[in-house]
Amino acid sequence: MKIGELASMAQCTVETVRYYEKEGLLPVPARTTANYRSYGKPHVERLCFIRNCRALDMTHEEIRTLLDLLDLPSEDCSGVNQLLDAHIGHVDVRIAELSQLKEKLVELRLACRTEKSVDQCGILRGLAVVETAPRDHRETHLG
Amino acid sequence: MKIGELASMAQCTVETVRYYEKEGLLPVPARTTANYRSYGKPHVERLCFIRNCRALDMTHEEIRTLLDLLDLPSEDCSGVNQLLDAHIGHVDVRIAELSQLKEKLVELRLACRTEKSVDQCGILRGLAVVETAPRDHRETHLG
DNA sequence: GCTTGACCCTGAAGTAACTTCAGGGTGTTG
DNA sequence: CAACACCCTGAAGTTACTTCAGGGTCAAGC
Ligand SMILES: [Zn+2]
Ligand SMILES: [Zn+2]
Ligand SMILES: [Zn+2]
Ligand SMILES: [Zn+2]
């Protein structure tokens, strides 16, 4: 099959497929005489695998690790478990960060219940406060 | 004061300060005879404002909107409220997304309680399933 | 006088995971 | 044989920065 069909089977764009190839996530496919990429069932499976991982917000690095494990079928799968646990950790960290953020935002929002002029707005005043919080090291890749 | 002092007062790097200037978030400062940037108190306040907004994960576009409002002190501040409500929405959407993600990840993790060989791993099998979920339009800028 | 070191300057390139664009080939259908 | 859908490559744009290369400024110490 050609790239457009592959892409639609995995619900992504042809550009994304070509990008994954360039990144080494998808193997380089055979070409037709017209220089079109030619794919088969294994490519569909691998691309779906990648897209599912991306839908779970894994990085390409994480996906690459899983794909490497997938290519050694006889190994034991503890590496898979470790990676999944770590990634669940990434999600947990980000949820915690955002929950804290939301608290602060809601508190800030309360500083302006009645609409005043800009130079008296409690929100803008709150944002102008000098805080001493250096951005610390991130333990998640989720933005 | 010079750029290093400004940066340390706002807990960021000098590169970040120069970047904000290039982006138009900070006004271009005066220069010393040695061509060094020279800042005053208003710059400190504006930079702290920006850093606080960034600590709340606002985009530069959102911050730019707030700064523009800040520069019209006599206007009423309903725009500020709207922006904050919208941004709280962005955070809410992302928290909901991540919570769903986490559910799926935990479920997937349960598919491999005992460590098997890779080609029998329930996790990898779960990830290989073809799903029909086209990535829909994002209503948050939070990654 | 001279060197060392901390600080400053510019402009370009790298990061993640794509998307968009420019400019052009292929192949089927009417 | 022209229109149109589909394919190709390589480069640049996206966000919010960071890193790097290559070079100037200035105060202190020998
Ligand atoms: Zn992860
Ligand atoms: Zn207000
Ligand atoms: Zn927002
Ligand atoms: Zn397993």
Side-chain angles (χ1 to χ4, degrees):
Chain A
M1 83 190 67
K2 285 183 285 181
I3 196 170
E5 195 181 344
L6 173 66
S8 73
M9 288 183 81
Q11 301 278 13
C12 69
T13 69
V14 304
E15 288 84 8
T16 299
V17 175
R18 286 196 283 250
Y19 175 65
Y20 288 162
E21 178 185 331
K22 195 162 49 179
E23 286 296 285
L25 293 177
L26 280 177
V28 297
R31 298 282 183 136
T32 69
T33 54
N35 199 31
Y36 289 3
R37 288 171 179 82
S38 178
Y39 297 99
K41 196 173 157 198
H43 294 95
V44 179
E45 285 169 10
R46 203 171 177 93
L47 180 55
C48 286
F49 186 95
I50 296 170
R51 291 308 290 173
N52 284 332
C53 290
R54 287 295 300 133
L56 294 169
D57 267 1
M58 292 183 196
T59 64
H60 282 190
E61 196 53 41
E62 287 170 326
I63 297 170
R64 212 182 304 274
T65 303
L66 286 182
L67 288 172
D68 286 350
L69 288 167
L70 207 54
D71 291 337
L72 298 171
S74 57
E75 292 278 313
D76 88 82
C77 66
S78 57
V80 178
N81 300 358
Q82 284 170 29
L83 192 145
L84 222 69
D85 286 339
H87 184 61
I88 290 173
H90 301 157
V91 174
D92 282 340
V93 167
R94 187 54 177 158
I95 289 176
E97 284 179 356
L98 288 177
S99 301
Q100 272 214 346
L101 267 190
K102 185 178 172 179
E103 266 184 52
K104 287 192 196 171
L105 281 164
V106 167
E107 188 193 326
L108 193 62
R109 180 63 179 86
L110 291 178
C112 176
R113 274 192 144 347
T114 64
E115 292 172 13
K116 304 169 188 168
S117 65
V118 159
D119 54 358
Q120 294 184 332
C121 177
I123 295 175
L124 294 178
R125 293 193 168 190
L127 286 170
V129 169
V130 180
E131 286 184 26
T132 52
R135 287 268 228 184
D136 50 350
H137 178 60
R138 314 261 351 250
E139 294 190 18
T140 178
H141 53 81
L142 301 169
Chain B
M1 82 189 71
K2 286 184 285 182
I3 195 170
E5 196 182 343
L6 173 66
S8 73
M9 287 184 80
Q11 301 277 15
C12 69
T13 69
V14 304
E15 289 83 7
T16 300
V17 175
R18 286 196 282 252
Y19 175 65
Y20 288 163
E21 177 184 331
K22 195 161 51 180
E23 287 295 287
L25 293 177
L26 282 177
V28 297
R31 297 283 182 136
T32 69
T33 54
N35 198 31
Y36 290 2
R37 289 171 179 82
S38 178
Y39 298 100
K41 197 173 156 198
H43 294 96
V44 178
E45 285 169 10
R46 203 172 178 96
L47 180 54
C48 285
F49 186 95
I50 296 170
R51 292 307 292 172
N52 284 331
C53 290
R54 287 295 301 135
L56 296 169
D57 267 2
M58 293 183 196
T59 64
H60 282 191
E61 196 52 41
E62 288 170 325
I63 298 170
R64 211 181 303 274
T65 303
L66 286 182
L67 288 173
D68 286 350
L69 289 167
L70 208 53
D71 291 338
L72 298 170
S74 55
E75 292 278 311
D76 88 84
C77 67
S78 58
V80 177
N81 301 358
Q82 283 172 28
L83 192 145
L84 221 71
D85 286 339
H87 184 60
I88 290 173
H90 301 157
V91 174
D92 281 340
V93 167
R94 186 55 176 157
I95 289 176
E97 283 179 356
L98 287 177
S99 300
Q100 271 215 344
L101 267 191
K102 184 176 174 179
E103 266 184 52
K104 286 192 196 170
L105 281 165
V106 168
E107 187 192 329
L108 193 62
R109 180 64 180 85
L110 291 178
C112 175
R113 274 195 145 343
T114 65
E115 291 173 12
K116 304 168 187 169
S117 64
V118 159
D119 54 358
Q120 295 183 332
C121 178
I123 294 176
L124 294 178
R125 292 193 169 189
L127 286 170
V129 168
V130 180
E131 286 184 27
T132 51
R135 285 266 227 185
D136 49 349
H137 179 59
R138 313 260 355 250
E139 295 190 16
T140 178
H141 52 82
L142 302 169

